[in-house]
């Protein structure tokens, strides 16, 4: 199932399973379940239901069930209390029940990196601390006793988010200087995967060229920089995230361009981890701030249309432990955007905008500068 993509016109057992999951989630009417029909159709109602689900979960809302959408669809069936939750290295439990657990622990003031629906070591540590505080065996496994304790307690943190305060404090402690900080630059696609192609442009080449320009500028400020891939490699997003985690990076910047059947579609957008509108959505606070800084710097220094920042749960944003942003730098299918993207001088301007945004993440208010004003030569070293 996970190696295939399903969309309008497809039929078969996998489509019947997709329909059943959508019915269970209340997105598709029960009368449309077609349970047991091996030739169940992927019709307009399923397409619309999948798009709705993708929109709710911060995925690309294209109506196609690929490996990522199927995995999130499968995770959505779990509710807190349905199963025992525990940490196993190399095989993390994932699901909506884990996300609900993380949100409850965070509301109670226990330290969880973020609500990502993955039962990792940070979540296990928070569970152990919670169990210890309520007098339960602190084994890190969520079972009936822990579920009952969670249900009877009200949040003790009000008026703010403890995770946001911790992120802010980490940034404050790291200081405003860039030397010694670590940034991973992720050029999208690569190898045989060329990504979007139009007007003589290839997304993989654009992303790699821009990554090299950012790398050189960041290194000049004293930042240690790693690229997530070589020119001819194309790791999947989970492996790119794993690479970033292994470097213990402070920030991740993923570079892409976009395409659209409508040639008038244009502009730059930046994405951070979160699922706006979903009940368990607690976005990456620093990721959201970093995305806003990147977006505003690029828009202020270029004439690209401002398509704003958005929360998404794409694998790279979800699996990285540090704040990560994904930049969609214009549409290669738009003649005006393509002309700009193809200009080396324009790429230099964008590279400088991104480096300035990295610096501004760490500047306290009294040292910060207005958007579009700070220049590369002025950065602290």
């Amino acid at each position: 199932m996970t190696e295939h993509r399903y969309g309008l016109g497809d039929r078969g057992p996998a489509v019947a399973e997709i329909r059943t999951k959508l019915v269970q989630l209340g997105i598709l009417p029960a009368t449309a379940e077609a349970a047991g029909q091996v030739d169940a159709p992927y019709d307009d109602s399923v397409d619309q239901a999948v798009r709705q689900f993708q929109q709710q979960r911060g995925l690309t809302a294209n109506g196609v069930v690929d490996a990522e959408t199927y995995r999130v669809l499968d995770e959505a069936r779990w509710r807190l209390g349905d199963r025992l939750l525990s940490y196993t290295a190399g095989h993390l439990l994932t699901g909506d029940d884990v996300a609900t657990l993380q949100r409850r622990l965070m509301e109670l003031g226990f330290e969880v990196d973020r609500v990502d629906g993955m039962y990792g070591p940070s979540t296990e540590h928070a569970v152990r601390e919670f169990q210890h505080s309520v007098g339960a065996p602190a084994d890190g496994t969520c079972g009936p006793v822990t579920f009952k304790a969670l249900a009877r307690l009200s949040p003790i943190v009000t008026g703010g988010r403890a995770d946001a305060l911790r992120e802010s404090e980490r940034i404050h402690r790291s200081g405003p200087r860039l030397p010694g900080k670590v940034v991973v630059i992720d050029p999208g696609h690569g190898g045989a995967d060329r990504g979007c192609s139009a007007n003589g442009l290839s997304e993989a080449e654009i992303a790699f060229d821009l990554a090299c320009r950012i790398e050189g500028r960041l290194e000049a400020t004293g930042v240690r920089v790693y690229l997530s891939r070589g020119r001819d490699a194309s790791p999947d997003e989970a492996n790119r995230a794993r690479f970033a985690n292994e470097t213990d990076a402070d920030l991740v910047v993923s570079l892409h361009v976009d395409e659209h059947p409508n040639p008038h579609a244009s502009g730059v957008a930046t994405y951070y981890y979160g699922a706006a509108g979903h009940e368990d959505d607690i976005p990456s606070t620093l990721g959201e701030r970093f995305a806003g800084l990147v977006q505003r710097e690029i828009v202020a220094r270029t004439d690209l249309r401002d398509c704003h920042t958005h929360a998404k749960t794409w694998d790279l944003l979800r699996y990285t432990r540090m704040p990560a942003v994904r930049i969609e730098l214009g549409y290669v299918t738009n003649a005006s955007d393509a002309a700009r993207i193809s200009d080396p001088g324009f790429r230099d301007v964008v590279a400088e905008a991104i480096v300035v945004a990295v610096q501004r993440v760490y500047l306290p208010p009294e040292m910060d500068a207005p958007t579009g004003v700070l220049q590369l030569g002025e950065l602290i070293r």
Side-chain angles (χ1 to χ4, degrees), residues 67-128:
E68 187 175 35
T69 295
Y70 180 80
R71 183 173 61 252
V72 178
L73 193 60
D74 188 60
E75 292 173 2
R77 64 193 170 103
W78 296 107
R79 295 291 176 267
L80 191 61
D82 286 353
R83 57 179 175 169
L84 292 178
L85 298 174
S86 61
Y87 169 63
T88 304
H91 187 68
L92 302 186
L93 285 177
T94 60
D96 277 21
D97 53 345
V98 180
T100 301
L101 169 66
Q102 292 170 325
R103 178 171 53 80
R104 290 286 291 119
L105 290 168
M106 193 175 287
E107 289 172 345
L108 291 165
F110 294 93
E111 185 169 355
V112 177
D113 284 344
R114 64 182 176 188
V115 177
D116 57 12
M118 298 187 293
Y119 202 104
S122 168
T123 302
E124 184 198 37
H125 180 71
V127 168
R128 288 180 184 274

Side-chain angles (χ1 to χ4, degrees), residues 159-172:
R161 282 174 43 193
D163 64 310
L165 296 174
R166 285 191 291 266
E167 280 193 348
S168 178
E169 179 58 24
R170 279 196 292 268
I171 289 294
H172 175 73

Side-chain angles (χ1 to χ4, degrees), residues 111-191:
E111 185 169 355
V112 177
D113 284 344
R114 64 182 176 188
V115 177
D116 57 12
M118 298 187 293
Y119 202 104
S122 168
T123 302
E124 184 198 37
H125 180 71
V127 168
R128 288 180 184 274
E129 287 197 329
F130 171 76
Q131 291 170 326
H132 179 74
S133 72
V134 298
D139 56 7
T141 296
C142 252
V145 173
T146 304
F147 293 139
K148 289 178 182 177
L150 282 167
R152 70 172 180 262
L153 290 176
S154 299
I156 60 176
V157 177
T158 60
R161 282 174 43 193
D163 64 310
L165 296 174
R166 285 191 291 266
E167 280 193 348
S168 178
E169 179 58 24
R170 279 196 292 268
I171 289 294
H172 175 73
R173 286 200 308 266
S174 70
R177 294 174 56 83
L178 287 181
K181 297 201 168 51
V182 180
V183 175
V184 168
I185 307 298
D186 170 50
H189 305 278

Side-chain angles (χ1 to χ4, degrees), residues 195-215:
C196 304
S197 296
N199 287 307
L201 297 174
S202 161
E203 182 175 11
E205 285 300 319
I206 294 166
F208 194 81
D209 176 82
L210 183 56
C212 292
R213 294 170 191 264
I214 298 169
E215 178 187 24

Side-chain angles (χ1 to χ4, degrees), residues 29 39 46 84 142 144 159 207 210 225 234 259 261 286 297 332 337 358 376:
D39 63 342
V46 177
L84 292 178
C142 252
L210 183 56
V225 185
S234 183
E259 64 182 351
L286 184 54
E297 286 293 340
V332 293
D337 281 8
V358 169
L376 187 62

